[in-house]
Amino acid sequence: MSGAKVFSLEALERFAQDLQLVRQSLLKELDGLELETRRLTGWIDNDADAYWRGQLQLSQRRLSEYSQQLSRCLASVRPNEQRPCTEEKKRVAREKERLQLCEQKIKQGQAASLRWQQHLLKVHTKLHRCRDLAEAELLVAHDRLKSHIERLINYTQLRSGASAISTNRSAATSDTMPVANDASHLEGSMLSAAPLEEHPTEQSSDRTSSLPTPQSGEAL
C-alpha cells in the first residue's frame, strides 16, 4: 500500500478547491463546444441548404421571366429589321450563371454535410470522453480527496487532544512529587527522633538502681 507524507492540510484543501474549479470549467467548456457543434450542424444541414435552395427557386423564376422578355423582344422585330435585344440577352445569361451557382452550392453543401457528419462522430466521441472525465472521474477523485482530508483533520484533532492530556498528566505528576518527598522526609525525621524519648527512662532506672538498698531494721 502506497503512503504519502502530508505537511499541510491547507494545501490539500486548496488543491481540492482547484480540482473542483477545473471540473466546473471543463463542464462549461464542453457545454460551449457542444452548442457550437449543434449550431454548425444546423447551419450546414438546414440553413445553408435552405438558403441555396431558395436562391435556386428564385433564379429559376427570374430566368423564366427574363427568357420571356427576350422572346417578346425578338418577336417584335419585323422580318426586314434586326433588333439586338442586348439587355435582355445579358439578363438571361447572368441568371443562367446564377442558376448554375445555386445548383453547385447545393451539391457542395450535401458533400460538406456528409463530411461533417463523419467528423462529428469523432468530435462527439472526444466530447463524451471529456464529459465522463469531468462528471465521473474528477468528481470521484474530488470526493475521495475530501474524505481523506476529513480523516486527516480528525486524526490531527485526536492526536493534539492526546498530546494535551499527556502534557497535563506530566505536569500533575511533577507537582505531586515534592509533596511525597517532604512526607517521607518528615516521617524519617520522626522515626529518628523517637528513640530520643527512651533515654530519660533509662537514666531514671539507672539512678534508682544506684541508690543504696536499706538494711532491715533501718529506718527509711
Side-chain angles (χ1 to χ4, degrees):
M1 182 177 180
S2 61
K5 294 182 179 180
V6 179
F7 298 98
S8 175
L9 288 176
E10 294 180 356
L12 284 178
E13 291 177 348
R14 288 195 300 270
F15 178 73
Q17 294 176 357
D18 293 340
L19 183 61
Q20 183 68 6
L21 290 176
V22 169
R23 175 177 169 273
Q24 294 175 354
S25 299
L26 180 57
L27 288 174
K28 185 177 180 181
E29 292 296 329
L30 289 174
D31 292 338
L33 288 174
E34 289 179 352
L35 179 61
E36 291 298 325
T37 54
R38 287 196 295 270
R39 287 179 179 177
L40 183 56
T41 301
W43 183 81
I44 293 175
D45 294 341
N46 300 321
D47 297 341
D49 185 73
Y51 173 78
W52 288 112
R53 289 186 181 277
Q55 292 296 314
L56 177 63
Q57 294 177 359
L58 180 60
S59 180
Q60 289 174 346
R61 288 196 299 269
R62 288 178 177 177
L63 179 59
S64 176
E65 180 180 353
Y66 295 157
S67 297
Q68 292 177 2
Q69 291 178 1
L70 178 59
S71 298
R72 287 195 296 269
C73 179
L74 294 175
S76 62
V77 178
R78 296 178 182 180
N80 56 352
E81 293 181 0
Q82 293 184 354
R83 294 183 60 183
C85 299
T86 305
E87 188 64 27
E88 288 77 3
K89 291 179 180 179
K90 288 182 178 180
R91 291 176 180 176
V92 171
R94 285 196 300 267
E95 206 58 42
K96 286 182 178 180
E97 292 179 356
R98 177 68 178 176
L99 183 64
Q100 292 177 355
L101 177 63
C102 293
E103 293 175 349
Q104 183 180 1
K105 291 296 184 180
I106 292 173
K107 292 180 180 179
Q108 290 177 352
Q110 293 174 349
S113 179
L114 292 175
R115 291 194 301 270
W116 172 245
Q117 292 297 331
Q118 295 175 356
H119 181 68
L120 192 60
L121 293 175
K122 300 178 181 179
V123 173
H124 281 166
T125 301
K126 294 180 180 179
L127 291 177
H128 288 323
R129 289 178 181 176
C130 292
R131 186 168 291 279
D132 291 339
L133 176 64
E135 293 181 347
E137 297 180 11
L138 288 180
L139 181 60
V140 171
H142 176 266
D143 292 341
R144 290 182 63 182
L145 181 58
K146 293 290 291 184
S147 177
H148 289 319
I149 291 174
E150 292 177 358
R151 291 180 182 178
L152 288 173
I153 292 174
N154 294 333
Y155 173 75
T156 303
Q157 293 176 350
L158 291 175
R159 187 175 181 181
S160 60
S163 177
I165 293 173
S166 177
T167 303
N168 294 333
R169 288 180 178 177
S170 300
T173 304
S174 62
D175 292 339
T176 55
M177 286 299 293
V179 177
N181 292 333
D182 294 340
S184 61
H185 178 69
L186 180 59
E187 183 180 359
S189 61
M190 292 177 65
L191 292 175
S192 62
L196 294 177
E197 296 177 356
E198 297 177 356
H199 294 294
T201 306
E202 293 177 355
Q203 292 177 0
S204 63
S205 61
D206 292 341
R207 291 176 182 177
T208 305
S209 61
S210 63
L211 292 176
T213 304
Q215 298 296 326
S216 61
E218 291 183 1
L220 295 173

